[in-house]
Amino acid sequence: MVMMPKPNEEVIAKRGYLVQRLRQIIRDPEAVIDEEAGLRAFECDGLSAYRQLPMIAVLPETKEEVAEVLKFCASEGVNVVPRGAGTSLSGGALPLADGVLLGLGKFNRILEVDYNNRCAVVQPGVTNLAITDAVKSDGFYYAPDPSSQIACTIGGNIAENSGGVHCLKYGLTTNNVLGVEMVTMDGEIIRLGGKHLDAEGYDLLGVITGSEGLLGVITEVTVRLLRSPQHVTAQLIGFPSSEQAGDCVGRIIAAGIIPAGMEMMDKYAIHAAEEFCHAGYPLDVEALLIVELDGPEVEIAHNNSLIEKIAGDCGASVIKQSQSEEERLTFWAGRKAAFPAVGRISPDYMCMDGTIPRSQLPLVLKRMNELSNKYGLRVANVFHAGDGNLHPLILFDANIPGELEKCEQFGADILKLCVEVGGVLTGEHGVGIEKRDLMGEMFSEDDLKQQQRLKCAFDPEGRLNPGKVFPVLHRCAELGKMHVHNGKLPFPDIPRF
Amino acid sequence: MTVFDISSPDQIKDALDWAISEKQSLSISGNGSKESLGRPMEVAAELRLANLSGVRMYEPAELVMKAAAGSSFNEINAVLHENDQQLAFCPPDLGPLLGQGAGLGTLGGVFCSNLSGSQRIKMGAARDHLLGVNGFTGRAQAFQTGSRVMKNVTGYDLCKLVAGSYGTLAVCSEFTFKVLPKPEKLRTVLIFGQEPNAAVITMRDAMSSVHEVAAAAYLPEQIAGRTNIDYVSNANRAVTAILIDGNGPSVDFRLNALRSMFDAQGELEELHSKRSSELWKFVSDVGAYVEDQRRLVWRVSLPPSDAADYIFRLRQQIEDLEYFMDWAGGLLWLSLPEGLEDAGQGIVRSQIRNGGHATLIRASSDIRSRVEVFQPVDVVKARISEKIREGFDPYRILNPARMYSIG
Ligand SMILES: Cc1cc2nc3c(=O)[nH]c(=O)nc-3n(C[C@H](O)[C@H](O)[C@H](O)COP(=O)(O)OP(=O)(O)OC[C@H]3O[C@@H](n4cnc5c(N)ncnc54)[C@H](O)[C@@H]3O)c2cc1C
């Protein structure tokens, strides 16, 4: 189990005083929660193996309230954990025993839809899907579509730089956000970006995106809207082996086709999903691809025939083209429900999120199988195949003593394997607490310190979401120090013009 | 000034160690093609990275390449070309605009200035294609961020910070970036004789259509006349240009659809692949302002729907204003007569009303030392930026004062 920083007893001792002062800051007295029943609602996020009641939960409604709360917490030396919908799978929104949980759920309004500039300005607590719902009837949508999109908030998406099945063609959150308004830990409100493109000065918007709630609290977001494609179709392609499926993915892309989405499931995931929602998946294959194409009908037809040929050459045993919008959605229903489907066949599961260079897929699957045997835990694989993002789902039973630890070990081994083959620890779910202690697998001590120096520029006291992302917390003063080597000869071997 | 010819990462480290211990500052450049972009600096030495070049890794089926920072675009493009791939943000070559030769641009120059061509509105900016960076911070420490895979949220995304930092945070030795298939076919729809506000609406409609428009620009008559594409230069009218790309059947279909969509807007014409490439290169590289090197050039990013009104207001105050629009109105390239007090920054910046920024791309070094080349940022952002810099380059040895004066 990952250990959280030791709670500060002095802070906990003044809880009553903090509650009283926070009630003076927040207009709605019910929005400062201090009784256990109320705090329970926030005790965990999507990584539910970790639970902790926050010291206090605060639900502000305006950016001014957010600013006042942060300023107050900073002055009292109190840590703050921002929270959207709490669907994070990496424990990013896990509360702290000595911290204020800042829930952004009341920031739930869409402030402006601006078709002239093809963007929408929304509050951070608006759900991902609500943005698309608001503009769908006018033929627009917001492209990044995490499977959790009914529930997760756009603020959480920015904090995690979330992806979805369509990011192969349309990019991650970071490629679809134009601007944010953000409050720093010392209570200053800043705007980064807007309805225009690119940053003036340093690209702070770029580093805020994916910063897991460690740099500031997002209070408004401007997202790019896209016109919905004219036509969309999906193909199911089944293969006798995952190697063949992986090969097919590579060849489709090498042929110059970037599908809107390209997902892969292994046998175990196929069966679980099929049983759960009868998507019409073939059950006699080892691997299944869902390939979605969008655009004008002629383009889809052209690419579909190319893909069919490639799939045939790669040894596909089943190729099924969606014949209607309804059928297309059914194809996806199985994939999108893969997590709950697996959840049904096992008491607990943990979702991993490494990314690998695609060519390494056969090796990684083989090694994962070996690990599965070693740990005696089953694993089902769903995979954003187009961009190499793996989601192995490890099945376990938390009620069996020691099984959670075993599952975590197994998960850590999978992620180390991803790094070993040239990949990364997390493709879209974030580091949070889950992968915090594995950061050293990917980064040198110096690189981790350099990242923490960025944190120092925004939050020098380390009050925002401490204990997440970084395995070792350094003081900013210590990070700032520099060791100067004694003056070497100026450029002994560098030629001069 | 001494210019050091860097050909290995170790030499970067040596140079930085020296600069730190001697308290000397350095300017960092690729081939020097964008040397005059930014504020003039007084430094002890220049590090030139053009000889730190070469492709380190290229996997076409994985859409990824890693190459040394000094690699020239010509070199990179030649390798990509063999596999029908490209850098989809279409990096502009601003060398000629800045009075230098063509084809000098290096990877380091383009990523560190985050400059993107006309296709940026569909394909994203240079920063969106940057996956990983290796280099050294101003602490002379080896520095690595990102990776080689497309999806990565492990730790802060420092690639975004490096992109557009104009060499003020780190000396980059290698970049890993995304490459994409080259579209099989290009077509440009030309609409003749539109007024600026009508053109902005046309470009908006094109961008809002289902036809996946790749680029949209508006060239007033005077600017159109400077291209060497006869359909455009002989039009004797303003030209609105809309680019689509993709596979053959798709492009044909969308071309016809766009033509019928804009049929009522004026006379139409179309350009095929070769001429389309030439036209969009002219737009992205700001070819229109190459000839008269005396004039000042500003680059303004603003909400696309503000473009026509902005130009209208500017024209009331600057008589001899030249301009054209890219990015469907979201990017304006202005050319101003020399001799304007403050290089026009007061007017150019104060008329940006709904967010945006203006950069002085071309001016004498005298002007660039007096005028804010980059858009001034508010105090909080300035403070955070300065602290970020403190973290990367505490002695301010890297391109000091190139972006902003040292705080
Ligand atoms: C079933 C399921 C499927 C999922 N599928 C996907 C998927 O396909 N792709 C994907 O990328 N993710 C997926 N996720 C993960 C998760 O939904 C995303 O990470 C999501 O972006 C989290 O949003 P949230 O509002 O729930 O944030 P929370 O879980 O509340 O918080 C996540 C992090 O963001 C910070 N944060 C939240 N709001 C703010 C704010 N306003 N300002 C600053 N920081 C803030 C928190 O401190 C925390 O660190 C899935 C999760 C589940 C449970």
Side-chain angles (χ1 to χ4, degrees):
Chain A
M1 296 285 282
V2 173
M3 299 293 290
M4 294 306 285
K6 204 167 151 293
N8 183 334
E9 293 301 333
E10 276 171 41
V11 169
I12 295 175
K14 59 180 175 182
R15 181 166 178 265
Y17 158 77
L18 296 171
V19 169
Q20 184 204 339
R21 288 289 307 276
L22 285 165
R23 288 209 168 116
Q24 289 163 358
I25 293 172
I26 304 274
R27 258 182 324 165
D28 175 4
E30 315 236 306
V32 177
I33 300 165
D34 64 341
E35 83 292 356
E36 192 183 322
L39 293 174
R40 276 277 164 237
F42 306 105
E43 74 174 344
C44 70
D45 60 14
L47 185 72
S48 55
Y50 289 81
R51 283 166 199 271
Q52 169 64 55
L53 284 187
M55 176 175 68
I56 306 168
V58 178
L59 310 175
E61 245 171 293
T62 63
K63 62 179 176 212
E64 289 79 15
E65 285 184 348
V66 171
E68 286 301 312
V69 169
L70 292 182
K71 204 187 282 179
F72 172 67
C73 289
S75 70
E76 294 290 339
V78 176
N79 296 329
V80 175
V81 178
R83 179 183 172 105
T87 67
S88 165
L89 292 170
S90 54
L94 181 76
L96 300 171
D98 60 352
V100 164
L101 184 113
L102 193 72
L104 279 305
K106 289 187 177 172
F107 284 77
N108 58 3
R109 284 188 308 131
I110 292 179
L111 301 173
E112 186 193 356
V113 173
D114 178 354
Y115 291 125
N116 281 326
N117 293 304
R118 297 168 298 286
C119 63
V121 183
V122 305
Q123 292 190 319
V126 169
T127 62
N128 173 292
L129 190 61
I131 302 178
T132 291
D133 281 345
V135 297
K136 198 164 54 184
S137 58
D138 295 309
F140 286 82
Y141 75 116
Y142 172 61
D145 55 344
S147 308
S148 51
Q149 68 183 148
I150 319 171
C152 66
T153 67
I154 190 72
N157 290 177
I158 297 214
E160 301 287 12
N161 188 14
S162 301
V165 294
H166 290 106
C167 50
L168 178 61
K169 181 167 173 188
Y170 297 104
L172 301 153
T173 302
T174 188
N175 312 111
N176 288 280
V177 176
L178 295 171
V180 297
E181 176 193 76
M182 181 186 101
V183 186
T184 61
M185 190 63 213
D186 47 13
E188 308 235 46
I189 301 169
I190 54 173
R191 298 194 79 89
L192 304 171
K195 293 179 178 178
H196 58 281
L197 294 173
D198 297 341
E200 65 261 36
Y202 294 150
D203 185 0
L204 302 187
L205 176 61
V207 280
I208 292 303
T209 310
S211 65
E212 305 200 23
L214 268 71
L215 301 183
V217 175
I218 293 147
T219 50
E220 190 191 288
V221 183
T222 304
V223 296
R224 181 166 85 124
L225 298 176
L226 294 182
R227 181 64 194 257
S228 317
Q230 206 165 11
H231 292 279
V232 191
T233 64
Q235 269 179 328
L236 289 182
I237 312 176
F239 292 89
S241 77
S242 346
E243 283 83 355
Q244 287 163 304
D247 187 33
C248 182
V249 170
R251 288 213 226 167
I252 290 172
I253 287 177
I257 303 170
I258 306 290
M262 184 144 56
E263 299 285 305
M264 184 168 152
M265 297 163 82
D266 72 359
K267 189 167 188 169
Y268 209 61
I270 300 167
H271 283 249
E274 181 60 23
E275 209 167 291
F276 187 60
C277 58
H278 312 292
Y281 293 165
L283 295 174
D284 55 350
V285 297
E286 285 296 318
L288 183 67
L289 293 182
I290 308 177
V291 182
E292 180 155 299
L293 297 176
D294 64 10
E297 257 173 323
V298 283
E299 176 181 323
I300 293 179
H302 177 90
N303 286 342
N304 261 339
S305 58
L306 283 175
I307 291 175
E308 270 181 35
K309 164 126 194 4
I310 294 170
D313 292 347
C314 293
S317 53
V318 186
I319 302 181
K320 198 156 135 191
Q321 166 88 42
S322 66
Q323 299 301 329
S324 63
E325 179 61 7
E326 201 189 346
E327 189 174 20
R328 180 184 76 86
L329 294 174
T330 316
F331 286 180
W332 279 113
R335 165 62 185 87
K336 292 213 168 179
F339 294 7
V342 166
R344 224 174 52 140
I345 54 173
S346 165
D348 297 284
Y349 69 93
M350 199 171 282
C351 174
M352 298 288 114
D353 173 45
T355 307
I356 56 168
R358 254 190 292 102
S359 57
Q360 302 292 329
L361 182 66
L363 174 75
V364 169
L365 288 179
K366 182 171 152 278
R367 297 260 302 267
M368 215 160 9
N369 240 329
E370 290 164 12
L371 288 168
S372 168
N373 290 334
K374 175 180 155 194
Y375 285 101
L377 293 176
R378 290 177 304 173
V379 58
N381 266 297
V382 294
F383 182 28
H384 300 300
D387 34 36
N389 188 195
L390 296 170
H391 288 321
L393 303 168
I394 307 175
L395 315 190
F396 71 105
D397 183 351
N399 286 325
I400 302 176
E403 194 137 286
L404 169 64
E405 287 71 19
K406 211 158 71 172
C407 167
E408 287 192 319
Q409 263 301 320
F410 183 8
D413 282 353
I414 293 176
L415 297 182
K416 286 178 194 166
L417 173 61
C418 292
V419 175
E420 184 192 316
V421 300
V424 301
L425 295 173
T426 171
E428 56 180 17
H429 294 167
V431 176
I433 55 165
E434 186 209 9
K435 301 155 202 118
R436 185 192 75 188
D437 294 348
L438 294 172
M439 286 290 272
E441 297 289 327
M442 209 175 126
F443 296 105
S444 70
E445 188 55 30
D446 281 346
D447 285 327
L448 285 175
K449 282 188 178 162
Q450 195 55 45
Q451 294 197 29
Q452 284 177 282
R453 289 190 188 104
L454 179 75
K455 164 89 168 161
C456 294
F458 286 86
D459 173 24
E461 299 297 322
R463 294 271 165 249
L464 267 175
N465 224 357
K468 318 287 171 73
V469 184
F470 296 105
V472 182
L473 292 177
H474 296 281
R475 290 188 166 280
C476 288
E478 173 205 334
L479 289 169
K481 281 196 201 123
M482 224 174 110
H483 176 70
V484 179
H485 301 282
N486 271 338
K488 279 193 197 163
L489 276 180
F491 319 109
D493 333 299
I494 313 173
R496 300 153 200 234
F497 285 112
Chain B
M1 187 183 49
T2 325
V3 179
F4 292 101
D5 176 13
I6 299 290
S7 58
S8 80
D10 290 345
Q11 294 176 338
I12 299 177
K13 165 118 177 89
D14 285 347
L16 294 172
D17 275 335
W18 169 79
I20 291 169
S21 67
E22 297 296 314
K23 301 203 168 20
Q24 298 289 351
S25 56
L26 303 168
S27 76
I28 324 297
S29 66
N31 236 325
S33 73
K34 285 184 266 298
E35 204 145 68
S36 63
L37 208 176
R39 306 173 78 239
M41 299 177 288
E42 279 179 26
V43 292
E46 176 179 341
L47 300 192
R48 252 194 204 195
L49 278 79
N51 284 325
L52 185 63
S53 67
V55 172
R56 303 284 188 254
M57 179 268 292
Y58 176 32
E59 292 186 15
E62 302 234 5
L63 305 176
V64 62
M65 181 184 266
K66 180 176 191 171
S71 310
S72 77
F73 274 103
N74 292 344
E75 180 186 354
I76 299 295
N77 281 335
V79 179
L80 290 173
H81 187 74
E82 284 169 24
N83 287 283
D84 288 324
Q85 293 190 329
Q86 63 168 8
L87 290 163
F89 61 96
C90 297
D93 181 358
L94 297 186
L97 176 74
L98 299 173
Q100 309 261 356
L104 292 173
T106 61
L107 278 183
V110 160
F111 281 118
C112 290
S113 46
N114 189 32
L115 287 169
S116 324
S118 302
Q119 282 88 331
R120 191 250 180 273
I121 42 173
K122 180 180 173 205
M123 298 311 298
R127 54 93 102 168
D128 296 296
H129 296 255
L130 185 59
L131 302 172
V133 176
N134 290 72
F136 295 86
T137 63
R139 297 170 174 266
Q141 261 169 5
F143 159 71
Q144 178 233 317
T145 184
S147 75
R148 54 159 291 178
V149 295
M150 300 296 144
K151 271 174 91 179
N152 174 19
V153 296
T154 323
Y156 297 130
D157 188 355
L158 298 183
C159 288
K160 296 288 186 296
L161 209 51
V162 169
S165 66
Y166 285 88
T168 59
L169 298 177
V171 185
C172 303
S173 55
E174 286 172 340
F175 295 98
T176 309
F177 47 92
K178 187 170 167 175
V179 298
L180 281 167
K182 211 180 223 169
E184 201 176 297
K185 194 165 170 178
L186 311 179
R187 287 291 180 271
T188 303
V189 180
L190 305 176
I191 303 159
F192 295 111
Q194 289 193 301
E195 291 296 320
N197 37 15
V200 167
I201 291 170
T202 293
M203 293 191 286
R204 175 200 68 189
D205 292 346
M207 293 308 298
S208 305
S209 75
V210 291
H211 304 305
E212 296 193 49
V213 167
Y218 174 70
L219 311 181
E221 177 182 344
Q222 188 185 20
I223 302 294
R226 293 180 196 165
T227 68
N228 52 12
I229 297 142
D230 43 10
Y231 275 137
V232 180
S233 56
N234 297 339
N236 295 323
R237 278 169 294 176
V239 176
T240 313
I242 294 166
L243 173 70
I244 47 173
D245 58 16
N247 69 38
S250 171
V251 169
D252 293 343
F253 172 83
R254 288 182 286 147
L255 178 72
N256 287 329
L258 283 169
R259 287 195 70 134
S260 47
M261 211 172 133
F262 296 122
D263 214 17
Q265 300 299 319
E267 196 190 321
L268 304 183
E269 197 42 82
E270 67 191 55
L271 300 178
H272 286 196
S273 292
K274 184 163 170 291
R275 282 179 172 165
S276 285
S277 304
E278 283 167 17
L279 175 68
W280 292 101
K281 188 165 165 46
F282 173 84
V283 173
S284 296
D285 296 355
V286 202
Y289 302 154
V290 169
E291 184 145 321
D292 188 349
Q293 288 281 328
R294 287 164 309 175
R295 292 177 67 94
L296 305 166
V297 175
W298 284 91
R299 179 181 186 270
V300 180
S301 170
L302 77 184
S305 66
D306 286 2
D309 291 346
Y310 176 81
I311 290 297
F312 179 79
R313 293 195 299 270
L314 236 55
R315 279 183 137 166
Q316 290 182 321
Q317 299 182 62
I318 305 171
E319 218 170 285
D320 179 16
L321 171 78
E322 294 178 1
Y323 77 95
F324 66 92
M325 303 179 188
D326 197 359
W327 298 359
L331 183 70
L332 302 177
W333 283 99
L334 313 177
S335 158
L336 274 54
E338 58 177 339
L340 274 183
E341 202 198 330
D342 79 349
Q345 77 161 326
I347 302 170
V348 168
R349 291 207 166 108
S350 65
Q351 294 303 331
I352 300 175
R353 292 189 176 163
N354 299 306
H357 48 89
T359 311
L360 179 57
I361 297 286
R362 186 176 71 196
S364 69
S365 68
D366 171 48
I367 293 173
R368 284 180 289 117
S369 63
R370 285 188 283 113
V371 168
E372 290 287 355
V373 170
F374 295 92
Q375 180 84 20
V377 297
D378 75 63
V379 286
V380 182
K381 192 178 165 191
R383 196 179 63 220
I384 293 172
S385 301
E386 211 38 49
K387 285 196 202 157
I388 290 176
R389 207 165 158 203
E390 174 77 26
F392 276 87
D393 179 19
Y395 290 152
R396 309 297 193 273
I397 57 170
L398 305 178
N399 280 351
R402 181 159 189 187
M403 291 185 83
Y404 300 104
S405 55
I406 301 173

